[in-house]
Amino acid sequence: MAGSANLNVMIKAARKAGRALAKDFREVENLQVSMKGAGDFVSRADINAENIIREDLTLARPTYGFLAEESGETEGEDPTRRWIVDPLDGTTNFLHGMPHFAVSIALENKGQIITGVVYDPSKDELFWAEKGQGAWVNESRLRVSGRNKMIESVFATGLPFGGSKNLPLTLQELARLLPATAGVRRWGAAALDMAYVAAGRYDGFWERGLNNWDLAAGLIILREAGGLAEPIDKKADILEDGEIICANEAIFDQFAKVIRNV
Ligand code: IPD
Ligand code: CA
């Protein structure tokens, strides 16, 4: 499936950053690391990957804006287009030597995400989607699972860390959900959690306290694979408020009822 010129630019940048991350991962014990907040780390690898992506994307599209986890917002000459980048989603996994992390790049056009790429260099899996064109992993089409029974379904979440205010709520949600399902996973990279729902590996995912760079690329991949996504609190906005509940269409309502406790 041939993608747009922008998609190709994104894939090239994601793969290049992915190669740099894979190299740093092999020497992870030598990396400089600092703490941004409780349990929130940034390493030389995050910054290096972000610089690679910024350089590639800015060279290819000099007028677009750029929002990224480590360097924040850079306004572009073109106010309608913006890259949204997480150079290393799953930093904690990375720093603990666990090969489950990804580069996440989305393109926003007039406030709407139109293209997304999530690249997992450890498994060489490139998840991508363009609006109206479906979602893919490498050369294969993605489709959410068809499971419609909670007891057969596996869900993913992000457990709060470092004194997050979301802990009591999440514990209550887990207490309601766990007995009703085949299990819940916490793998530590939200972009991959959404890509895995898109791929039918997980049947659903929910999390609060995210940023739009964690969510933007995964969201279009999930929706283009036939998944449903809403904010957990119906009055919120997924990207602005950083919260999501998503699943295959067949299980979404049952799953959302348990999480929302309605
Ligand atoms: C984190 C991961 C994790 C989620 C955290 C995010 P980072 O992103 O996506 O799964 O639970 O809330 O901050 O810091 O590794 O880019
Ligand atoms: Ca992230």
Side-chain angles (χ1 to χ4, degrees), residues 3-235:
S4 68
N6 276 331
L7 174 72
N8 291 324
V9 167
M10 294 161 77
I11 290 179
K12 200 168 142 252
R15 285 196 181 278
K16 198 164 163 189
R19 279 193 297 275
L21 288 173
K23 183 167 176 291
D24 283 338
F25 187 66
R26 288 192 291 272
E27 299 156 14
V28 72
E29 62 286 349
N30 301 327
L31 273 181
Q32 266 182 329
V33 182
S34 50
M35 219 165 173
K36 292 195 278 190
D40 191 6
F41 302 95
V42 61
S43 71
R44 200 54 241 166
D46 300 71
I47 295 165
N48 187 29
E50 187 164 308
N51 288 341
I52 290 171
I53 296 166
R54 176 191 280 274
E55 205 179 286
D56 259 43
L57 297 182
T58 313
L59 195 68
R61 301 288 181 266
T63 59
Y64 292 12
F66 189 88
L67 171 71
E69 173 155 17
E70 308 309 337
S71 56
E73 175 100 52
T74 310
E75 276 180 31
E77 234 171 81
D78 175 352
T80 62
R81 306 246 188 178
R82 178 167 75 152
W83 304 112
I84 303 178
V85 175
D86 189 345
L88 171 50
D89 185 42
T91 302
T92 304
N93 286 346
F94 184 96
L95 295 175
H96 283 246
M98 294 188 271
H100 191 76
F101 52 85
V103 176
S104 171
I105 306 178
L107 176 60
E108 185 187 64
N109 180 28
K110 297 182 186 143
Q112 262 207 358
I113 307 299
I114 55 168
T115 313
V117 169
V118 173
Y119 180 52
D120 173 348
S122 311
K123 305 172 198 77
D124 194 22
E125 285 191 317
L126 185 100
F127 299 89
W128 55 277
E130 293 202 87
K131 201 157 178 57
Q133 304 297 317
W136 305 74
V137 57
N138 298 336
E139 304 299 316
S140 309
R141 187 85 191 241
L142 288 177
R143 184 79 208 148
V144 290
S145 73
R147 284 186 201 91
N148 58 10
K149 294 190 182 68
M150 290 293 279
I151 199 65
E152 291 172 5
S153 298
V154 172
F155 298 95
T157 190
L159 296 177
F161 51 89
S164 158
K165 66 173 178 11
N166 293 326
L167 183 62
L169 204 54
T170 309
L171 292 177
Q172 287 161 23
E173 290 161 356
L174 285 169
R176 291 194 298 274
L177 190 69
L178 283 165
T181 69
V184 172
R185 305 285 182 268
R186 197 298 187 234
W187 278 13
L192 286 175
D193 289 335
M194 283 176 282
Y196 278 28
V197 179
R201 298 173 185 174
Y202 295 141
D203 303 294
F205 163 67
W206 85 107
E207 188 168 355
R208 294 183 183 77
L210 293 165
N211 290 292
N212 53 3
W213 50 74
D214 302 312
L215 289 161
L219 186 58
I220 184 165
I221 293 168
L222 170 95
R223 284 183 164 148
E224 286 293 323
L228 297 181
E230 289 181 2
I232 302 172
D233 171 355
K234 284 189 180 172
K235 294 190 292 297

Side-chain angles (χ1 to χ4, degrees), residues 230-244:
E230 289 181 2
I232 302 172
D233 171 355
K234 284 189 180 172
K235 294 190 292 297
D237 179 273
I238 296 177
L239 293 177
E240 267 172 40
D241 299 303
E243 58 166 70
I244 187 168

